[in-house]
Amino acid sequence: MKVEITKELIEHVAEVARLKLTDKEIEKFSKELKEIIGVFSNIDKVDTKNIEASLQPVELKNMLREDIEEKAFSQEDALSLTEHKKGGYFKGPRAV
Amino acid sequence: MSIQEFVEKIKNGEINIVEHAKNVIEECKKINKEYSYFNVISGEAALEQAKDLHKKIKSDDKDIKNKKLLGISISVKDAICVKGVESTAGSKILKGYMPLFDATVIQKVKEQGAIIIGKTAQDEFGFGSFSVNVGLGFNVPKNPFDKARACGGSSGGAGGITKKAPFPHIALGESTGGSIACPASFCGVFGLCPTYGRVSRYGLMDYANSLDKIGPLGKSAYDIALLLETISGFDSNESTTINNPAEKYTESINKTIKNMRIGIIKESFNDIDKNVEKNVRNGIKKLEDHGAKAEEISLKLPIEHGISTYYIIATSEASTNLAKYCGMRYGISEKLEGSFNEYFTKVRSNNFGAEAKRRIILGTFARMSGYRDAYYIKATKIRAMIVNEYKKLFKKYDALLSPTMPITAPRFSEIEKLTPLQNYMMDVMTVSPNLAGLPHLNVPVGFENNLPVGMMLTADHLQEGKLIQLGSIFGN
């Protein structure tokens, strides 16, 4: 696949990834990713017809445990690692 | 003193475990001033553990005599959670994070009487081949043979302290695309990355879930076999662990290698440092002198497309994994202001290092609508083909062989001149066994200009025993 890596594309991808880049970073990453993606695009030369995607390298069986109650962290412990809490809950920024 | 001799002396009281632990911590502090191998030296926790074990030794506790790692110092790559010890995966975004639980591997080594001495330096979240991509505010570990050179990455601190520790020690490292083999090669130690799923990842901060493996680095084949048999096995907390019992890998030490079949990967010698080639050829000769049968084989697809395939899959997974670091529940936080997206963006932009940002962007791009089929999905298909190519070879060979890295440890000044793509290209030998989830072992085979050269052996899934068997020729 031929992709044109522009500063606008990098800025858009960064925004999707929730990163705000400085002008210097945009400049630098655009140049570097152009080189990287240019080379990585060579994978389109590999014939993958009839090949299934591999989500992991070894065959795994789905191992489920019995649905029984086990000890978990207390609410107090779970909240002990942040200063952003209120009334026994995590406190986050406004969502809407 | 070997690990076996040391454990015996601890058991029979010839060495006092508390005094020993105190000395170890002092040594680590001294080494760290010069080499920066630890992000945290957990002195107090180590002494607590030693005192507790001391009581049990004194009271002739029945179980204590069976502990396989009694008093052995274990360093832990920073990405692995240790209860109550700051664990950051080398990233500023996790500064201050004190896990409420031990990773399964930590539980297992503690059960065997090992003492956790600290968290070792690494590239941020494992994003690097030289341990120079440390998080903002972290120190870069220095090569034990030359402080102007890199340890390799991403388990660089683990490689360095394994070489430098004057006390019995084994390291817990982690590999996604070569992060055990590479630092083991540059630091001149043994490093074994096990089969994907052989060792539980519960409590490991993910880089890429389908690629991450925890494994040991040690001064001898015995040391890594001992740690590997301790940490292997099914874990009900981790659904990708393989449901096979842990094997006794130490029993593979010094088993004859007569008639074992080794495939020498011919493409792995293209464009490499000639001094590296010379030493690896000597390593092959040594295996042949012990009766192994070696012949050249070709491994075309993994060598040609392994790097692209690996980096596309690894960064795709990393970019989703890192989404959980949002400055709310643990780790670093900022003043709560603005909308959720504004807050999340601020925390991430201020606290991820450059390589983490680069990989997040690359991985997000590879998964984005319009590009996903051509990059991420395509790469997962090529991975399936790479696994098949290896599987065919393992019908005929017990192990495949190549140099671990194309060069010896580079100078920091040389690394600075590399572009990110040139950096990624250094992983040409190590990414493919990692993509295929195959166990692989770095063995030190010689020195060139006072720098160690590493040789890599790769075996079929769950054949770690064969690697130990072959590796023990080079130092048991």
Side-chain angles (χ1 to χ4, degrees), chain B residues 407-423:
Chain B
I407 52 172
T408 51
R411 285 192 181 86
F412 293 117
S413 56
E414 292 164 337
I415 297 169
E416 275 170 21
K417 290 182 198 139
L418 297 176
T419 66
L421 182 66
Q422 287 169 326
N423 250 286

Side-chain angles (χ1 to χ4, degrees), chain A residues 1 3 9-10 12-14 16-21 25 28-29 32-33 35-37 39-44 46-48 51-58 60-61 63 73 77-78 80-84 90-95, chain B residues 97-98 100-101 196 210 234 240 243 305 308 311-312 328-330 333-334 336 338-341 343 345 348-349 354 357-358 360-362 364-365 368 370-371 374-375 378 380-385 419-421 424 435-437 461:
Chain A
M1 186 179 191
V3 189
L9 177 64
I10 295 302
H12 172 60
V13 177
V16 171
R18 305 280 177 261
L19 286 174
K20 180 144 184 59
L21 303 180
E25 282 176 322
K28 189 172 157 58
F29 289 152
E32 291 166 350
L33 290 165
E35 187 191 21
I36 293 167
I37 293 167
V39 169
F40 287 6
S41 298
N42 285 341
I43 61 168
D44 67 4
V46 182
D47 181 5
T48 52
I51 303 285
E52 292 274 325
S54 62
L55 295 180
Q56 63 274 318
V58 292
L60 294 168
K61 288 196 186 105
M63 303 289 292
F73 298 133
D77 280 347
S80 66
L81 300 169
T82 181
E83 54 183 283
H84 297 318
F90 289 110
K91 189 180 172 199
R94 84 187 144 76
Chain B
Y97 172 52
M98 310 288 252
L100 299 166
F101 67 106
Y196 177 77
S210 78
F234 176 70
T240 60
N243 196 10
H305 292 286
S308 312
Y311 275 96
I312 291 169
M328 272 177 57
R329 298 178 297 274
Y330 48 82
S333 62
E334 308 248 355
L336 274 185
S339 69
F340 186 84
N341 281 347
Y343 178 74
T345 301
R348 290 160 63 78
S349 306
K357 288 180 184 173
R358 192 178 289 115
I360 289 170
I361 292 171
L362 184 56
T364 305
F365 164 80
M368 262 167 72
Y371 306 113
Y375 291 96
K378 181 85 178 178
T380 60
K381 288 180 180 176
I382 298 175
R383 166 160 66 184
M385 292 168 73
T419 66
L421 182 66
Y424 299 170
L435 267 175
H461 293 135

Side-chain angles (χ1 to χ4, degrees), chain B residues 137-373:
Chain B
F138 287 82
N139 294 322
V140 171
K142 301 182 180 84
N143 191 284
F145 292 91
D146 179 351
K147 281 186 272 182
R149 293 175 187 268
C151 277
S154 66
S155 310
I161 189 63
T162 300
K163 185 71 210 177
K164 209 77 194 162
F167 47 82
H169 159 272
I170 319 175
L172 276 171
E174 178 275 334
S175 172
T176 307
S179 292
I180 290 175
C182 166
S185 173
F186 286 171
C187 295
V189 298
F190 289 78
L192 196 155
C193 172
T195 306
Y196 177 77
R198 174 71 295 187
V199 175
S200 169
R201 294 183 291 116
Y202 179 71
L204 170 71
M205 295 168 202
D206 308 305
Y207 165 178
N209 311 53
S210 78
L211 297 163
D212 296 343
K213 286 96 36 192
I214 295 177
L217 292 92
K219 281 199 176 93
S220 72
Y222 179 87
D223 295 2
I224 54 169
L226 180 66
L227 190 55
L228 185 64
E229 68 186 25
T230 307
I231 60 176
S232 295
F234 176 70
D235 178 8
S236 58
N237 278 330
E238 212 269 78
S239 62
T240 60
T241 44
I242 296 170
N243 196 10
N244 281 31
E247 286 174 45
K248 286 218 155 65
Y249 296 113
T250 45
E251 289 177 2
S252 295
I253 298 283
N254 293 342
K255 259 193 191 172
T256 177
I257 64 162
K258 203 168 172 210
N259 295 326
M260 281 183 86
R261 295 150 309 167
I262 315 280
I264 315 291
I265 304 169
K266 68 173 181 202
E267 294 89 350
S268 69
F269 291 92
N270 296 344
D271 306 321
I272 68 165
D273 182 333
K274 291 298 154 207
N275 291 325
V276 169
E277 173 163 1
K278 184 182 81 187
N279 281 278
V280 173
R281 299 271 181 211
N282 289 342
I284 297 168
K285 173 88 176 37
K286 199 167 175 180
L287 289 169
E288 287 176 325
D289 290 346
H290 282 79
K293 308 277 180 220
E295 62 185 22
E296 273 202 349
I297 55 112
S298 176
L299 194 68
K300 219 162 170 276
L301 184 69
I303 298 283
E304 210 170 307
H305 292 286
I307 296 264
S308 312
T309 307
Y310 167 77
Y311 275 96
I312 291 169
I313 295 176
T315 57
S316 293
E317 294 185 22
S319 62
T320 59
N321 280 325
L322 296 190
K324 63 179 165 278
Y325 302 117
C326 60
M328 272 177 57
R329 298 178 297 274
Y330 48 82
I332 216 154
S333 62
E334 308 248 355
K335 196 176 170 203
L336 274 185
E337 54 188 9
S339 69
F340 186 84
N341 281 347
E342 283 164 352
Y343 178 74
F344 197 8
T345 301
K346 181 171 66 177
V347 171
R348 290 160 63 78
S349 306
N350 289 350
N351 297 294
F352 281 136
E355 184 61 24
K357 288 180 184 173
R358 192 178 289 115
R359 293 196 190 199
I360 289 170
I361 292 171
L362 184 56
T364 305
F365 164 80
R367 290 183 298 109
M368 262 167 72
S369 166
Y371 306 113
R372 183 182 165 86
D373 285 350

Side-chain angles (χ1 to χ4, degrees), chain B residues 103-117:
Chain B
T104 298
V105 292
I106 302 300
Q107 280 174 33
K108 286 188 171 185
V109 299
K110 281 183 176 173
E111 272 164 26
Q112 288 302 325
I115 294 178
I116 307 296
I117 55 172

